[in-house]
Amino acid sequence: EQEPNLPPLRANPLRLRQMLDNLIGNAIKYTPTGGQIHIKLRSEDGQLILQVSDNGPGIPPADQPRIFDKFYRGENVPDDVPGSGLGLAIVKSIVDSHQGRIWVESALGQGSTFFVVLPAFVPPVS
Ligand code: ADP
């Protein structure tokens, strides 16, 4: 879903692409066949809000503060799911470099939603 009239961003397009690839790639990688992934973009209070949701395994509460750390992989990740634990650390560095915020809301067995909030571009007054 995407609202019309989203505000402009001042951003590095390659890095935003990399951010989306990682978040959507994770949703696809961790959600079993037949699951659902939703991607939503909206604006609120001069900010752009991205939500990437899935109805996969979810992230244990104790892992949630650590998944943005380099090389950290969740305790409930099955052995046959490949990964380096770097993807979300990269995503966080991209979000930080755009003065944004990122967090996850997740319940075990129900799914995960990653939120990214980026400030809209405000043209300078001349
Ligand atoms: P990787 O996927 O290589 O393990 P990431 O840095 O992308 O590394 O993710 C860190 C951890 O966050 C993963 O190991 C997993 O535990 C958890 N995670 C990330 N995205 C999801 C998701 N959509 N559903 C469930 N767990 C996730």
Side-chain angles (χ1 to χ4, degrees):
E1 300 160 46
Q2 180 183 326
E3 275 183 3
N5 301 322
L6 291 171
L9 285 183
R10 189 175 150 86
N12 179 327
L14 287 176
R15 302 287 276 161
L16 287 195
R17 170 73 204 231
Q18 192 181 13
M19 174 189 88
L20 287 168
D21 281 350
N22 271 296
L23 291 174
I24 298 169
N26 275 349
I28 294 170
K29 180 167 77 166
Y30 289 107
T31 303
T33 310
Q36 292 208 18
I37 293 165
H38 288 277
I39 298 157
K40 198 166 150 183
L41 260 184
R42 63 194 165 90
S43 72
E44 198 180 291
D45 301 330
Q47 299 180 312
L48 195 75
I49 304 170
L50 166 73
Q51 276 172 243
V52 179
S53 312
D54 65 61
N55 62 353
I59 300 166
D63 285 340
Q64 290 179 21
R66 305 181 63 184
I67 54 172
F68 299 100
D69 295 349
K70 274 186 197 167
F71 304 114
Y72 189 80
R73 302 205 73 203
E75 300 290 350
N76 64 336
V77 173
D79 286 340
D80 60 347
V81 176
S84 62
L86 272 177
L88 287 179
I90 292 168
V91 168
K92 180 152 176 23
S93 79
I94 294 170
V95 173
D96 287 348
S97 72
H98 288 82
Q99 289 77 48
R101 290 180 292 135
I102 183 168
W103 69 94
V104 67
E105 292 179 6
S106 181
L108 269 185
Q110 294 183 29
S112 309
T113 299
F114 285 84
F115 293 82
V116 175
V117 176
L118 296 172
F121 174 63
V122 181
V125 278
S126 52

